[in-house]
Amino acid sequence: MSEVSIVGAGYVGVVSAACLAERGHNVTVADKSRERISLLIEGKVPFHESGLDDILKRSSSRISFTTNTGTAIEKSDLTFVSVGTPGRKDGVIDLSQVRSTAHEIGRALRSKRKMRHLVVVRSTVVPGTTWYVLRPAIESASGLKVGEGFSLAMQPEFLREGNAINDMLHPDRIVIGECDKQAGDRLQVFYEGFYGDHTPPILRMSSTSAELVKYACNAFLAMKVSFINEIASICERLEGVDVVRVAEAIGLDPRIGAKFLDAGVGFGGSCLPKDVRAIHARAKELGFKSLLLPATLHVNDRQKRRVVEIARHLSRNLRGKRVALLGLSFKPGTDDVREAPSLEIIDHLKRAGANVVAYDPAAIPNARKLLGRRVRFASSARECLHGADVCIVVTEWEEFKALTPEMLKSEMKRPVLVDGRRMYDPERFAGVAYAAIGLGTEQASSHGLH
Ligand code: UDX
């Protein structure tokens, strides 16, 4: 078993640490934030991921936490770097944590002369970063050369929030971008040991290719969502056409696949929007003007306006109206509101003069930090609906499935429902004013056909 260190106690770092320790590795996790490290030492997970606290508890004898990166490196022979790479407004990612980590690793390697250390980048970084930013920083701080004094690889992560442990334990593939051959060989052996008979396909390539794989993957997923949302907008203009049926039929074509074809208010979260912007900005730096990447983002922005337009259309005017907004997190099963569609939808509603009351089973504390008093928060879906003129479902939480036309009629001033996530069977809601993303109505017509 290896002595492993992980720099960056974020989502990827802590999930990886817990899974590696559970399978017998000794892991030291380093992070600059004292607050985060103290919480982890107390056995508390600083974010919402079901099952993670149990694994951490079970493997606590093999995990330690520190704010000192140097000590973590010295104790180990394999280091995973999973520090944050936040995106700026223009899409360019901020590499300051990556740079300072590379420098610290280099300094620690200068004094550590045992075995050749293997550094593996897990942070999402734009193509070229491992080779042109991390490698020279480690080399100059350590006085060592890659492939001689230390090994360096880039291995993108594909963890989904809410499913991260399962994704780590049962990955579809492992992508290894190697700066030197030994890095690739060692990492391959490490994962073959970790996954045993269940080792997924391991793909080896250059570090720059591996960096691009991550962005290409997220950009494709985002594009798939924007694609079906674009089709949804066409459906809305045609009588008797429903995007759910259309998606089902096209998804059965194995060349397309059924996943990521749920039309709705758009994609959010800490990865998809940020990564599409970042690879678009990187392409620009490389002298290439992408057409698909900005279009993917535009469709996503338009989708959030569209749901408000539908609400406006159903209630004639939103000024002074009370809107019940169900769902604040960017997807169900998480309290994360980073780039959540709900935030922009609330902005559009406020601009239209509406009063917003919101409810979410998990994300209210995080949403409150960003929204303050702009929104009133309810403590249940029923309370949220009470006295409202229109209800918009923004996140498809399981508990919202329990909504019935009777409940809308008894709680709301007027029973008007905008289904932003296609949660309900339109026929069941036939007795109330119901409209949904991607659902053509009788008012939709044969525009332009003669
Ligand atoms: C994503 C990638 O899936 C993961 O591989 C990567 O490592 C991190 O980014 P995550 O951000 O956790 O994971 O969310 P994901 O489940 O992919 O959903 C992203 C967004 O797309 C959500 O807002 C979701 O509501 C939206 N979405 C997804 C749709 O609107 N329709 C779909 O069909 C699928």
Side-chain angles (χ1 to χ4, degrees), residues 15-89:
V15 169
S16 309
C19 295
L20 293 175
E22 171 137 282
R23 298 269 173 101
H25 294 289
N26 290 319
V27 185
T28 309
V29 180
D31 196 287
K32 288 279 166 251
S33 161
R34 277 180 199 287
E35 195 191 337
R36 188 160 272 238
I37 291 297
S38 313
L39 278 175
L40 286 162
I41 289 172
E42 287 169 33
K44 293 183 190 143
V45 183
F47 42 78
H48 184 93
E49 183 68 41
S50 67
L52 184 55
D53 39 4
D54 287 340
I55 305 191
L56 277 176
K57 223 172 271 160
R58 285 203 299 272
S59 50
S60 61
S61 62
R62 284 184 297 276
I63 303 195
S64 56
F65 297 97
T66 176
T67 51
N68 189 329
T69 307
T71 333
I73 309 295
E74 278 153 30
K75 283 202 334 209
S76 58
D77 30 62
L78 165 57
T79 298
F80 291 105
V81 176
S82 53
V83 292
T85 51
R88 298 190 327 212
K89 265 222 161 80

Side-chain angles (χ1 to χ4, degrees), residues 116 131 146-148 150-153 178-185:
R116 193 203 274 194
W131 187 254
V146 74
E148 292 169 19
F150 72 98
S151 283
L152 180 62
E178 54 204 63
C179 293
D180 57 300
K181 184 169 179 305
Q182 205 192 86
D185 290 345

Side-chain angles (χ1 to χ4, degrees), residues 226-422:
S226 280
F227 172 80
I228 199 65
N229 283 336
E230 190 110 318
I231 297 294
S233 297
I234 298 174
C235 294
E236 285 160 25
R237 287 157 176 83
L238 292 165
E239 188 180 339
V241 177
D242 186 345
V243 72
V244 174
R245 299 295 293 158
V246 175
E248 197 183 345
I250 65 174
L252 284 171
D253 183 331
R255 292 169 300 177
I256 296 174
K259 294 192 177 141
F260 269 71
L261 283 183
D262 294 330
V265 294
F267 57 81
S270 63
C271 290
L272 260 48
K274 172 194 143 198
D275 290 354
V276 178
R277 284 196 296 268
I279 194 61
H280 179 38
R282 181 70 180 131
K284 237 193 246 167
E285 271 172 16
L286 295 168
F288 177 71
K289 193 169 177 302
S290 163
L291 300 174
L292 284 175
L293 298 169
T296 299
L297 295 167
H298 281 147
V299 173
N300 203 43
D301 287 341
R302 189 170 64 185
Q303 218 49 19
K304 292 170 257 184
R305 285 194 301 273
R306 174 70 191 137
V307 79
V308 176
E309 260 168 40
I310 298 177
R312 185 186 282 127
H313 180 76
L314 283 181
S315 8
R316 294 213 175 81
N317 184 355
L318 287 171
R319 189 150 300 281
K321 298 271 167 65
R322 181 156 161 178
V323 178
L325 187 132
L326 292 179
L328 291 160
S329 58
F330 81 97
K331 66 174 186 180
T334 174
D335 63 354
D336 197 342
V337 293
R338 283 177 288 175
E339 302 224 23
S342 63
L343 302 176
E344 260 185 66
I345 292 172
I346 288 170
D347 264 353
H348 294 314
L349 289 169
K350 297 296 291 182
R351 246 177 271 143
N355 299 315
V356 182
V357 186
Y359 169 70
D360 187 285
I364 291 179
N366 283 338
R368 200 191 293 276
K369 283 182 215 154
L370 297 175
L371 295 165
R373 290 167 177 273
R374 300 189 64 217
V375 167
R376 201 164 73 68
F377 295 99
S379 54
S380 68
R382 191 178 279 276
E383 186 193 316
C384 188
L385 290 173
H386 190 72
D389 295 281
V390 53
C391 168
I392 307 179
V393 177
V394 174
T395 316
E396 67 278 34
W397 283 96
E398 199 56 34
E399 70 170 77
F400 298 157
K401 284 205 179 127
L403 231 71
T404 58
E406 293 68 41
M407 200 168 150
L408 298 182
K409 282 183 198 152
S410 69
E411 294 296 335
M412 296 177 70
K413 203 187 280 172
R414 283 183 60 221
V416 178
L417 178 63
V418 181
D419 184 353
R421 290 289 188 178
R422 300 312 311 268

